[in-house]
């Protein structure tokens, strides 16, 4: 991101929707790109949307640290934490769903066939 967007922070904190829209117009694509390593494993669109909601919610209490793009850096941190949490949830879910399906169908578990490796 080439431009420091923190000049919009005070307006966003006062709930200026136009200021937040301008901030998003510059921050959304770099935010999406920051999640590219998660794209195959989690719904990054949902992560971006949740991140934007959280940024909007926290903005009145957010305190910049003096470095450029503090709100954007915060958004990236939130997005990555959400993506990691979603990845953990997704990795756990298939095992549980598979076990539930096998138990509900009354199918006995068998070890994998070594010839299929």
């Amino acid at each position: 991101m080439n431009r420091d967007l923190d000049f919009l922070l005070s307006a966003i904190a006062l709930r200026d929707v136009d200021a937040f829209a301008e901030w998003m117009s510059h921050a959304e694509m770099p935010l999406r790109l920051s999640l590219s390593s998660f794209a195959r494993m989690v719904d990054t669109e949902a992560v971006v949307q949740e991140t934007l909601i959280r940024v909007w919610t926290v903005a009145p209490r957010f305190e910049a640290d003096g470095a450029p793009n503090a709100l954007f850096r915060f958004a990236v941190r939130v997005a990555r934490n959400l993506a990691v949490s979603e990845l953990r949830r997704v990795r756990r879910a298939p095992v549980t769903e598979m076990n539930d399906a096998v138990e509900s169908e009354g199918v006995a578990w068998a070890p994998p066939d070594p010839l299929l490796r």
Side-chain angles (χ1 to χ4, degrees):
M1 176 175 305
N2 300 339
R3 183 175 167 194
D4 183 4
L5 300 176
D6 284 348
F7 73 95
L8 296 167
L9 185 54
S10 60
I12 294 170
L14 294 172
R15 296 298 192 218
D16 183 333
V17 175
D18 294 327
F20 189 65
E22 183 174 346
W23 180 86
M24 280 191 343
S25 73
H26 296 284
E28 185 177 7
M29 188 54 66
L31 183 62
R32 287 180 188 284
L33 292 173
S34 76
L35 296 171
S36 62
S37 63
F38 295 97
R40 288 184 166 195
M41 301 167 281
V42 300
D43 182 357
T44 54
E45 177 63 27
V47 170
V48 168
Q49 295 300 318
E50 180 64 24
T51 299
L52 295 174
I53 290 169
R54 289 185 184 196
V55 168
W56 175 253
T57 302
V58 170
R61 299 183 313 274
F62 181 77
E63 293 184 26
D65 61 2
N69 284 312
L71 189 60
F72 176 73
R73 288 183 290 111
F74 171 73
V76 169
R77 203 167 40 248
V78 168
R80 293 186 66 80
N81 287 341
L82 285 169
V84 167
S85 294
E86 182 64 13
L87 181 59
R88 287 179 182 146
R89 187 190 68 78
V90 168
R91 284 187 176 166
R92 264 194 318 261
V95 172
T96 303
E97 291 170 6
M98 184 177 170
N99 288 343
D100 290 346
V102 168
E103 288 175 10
S104 67
E105 294 174 8
V107 177
W109 181 85
D113 185 348
L115 296 176
L116 293 177
R117 292 181 188 201

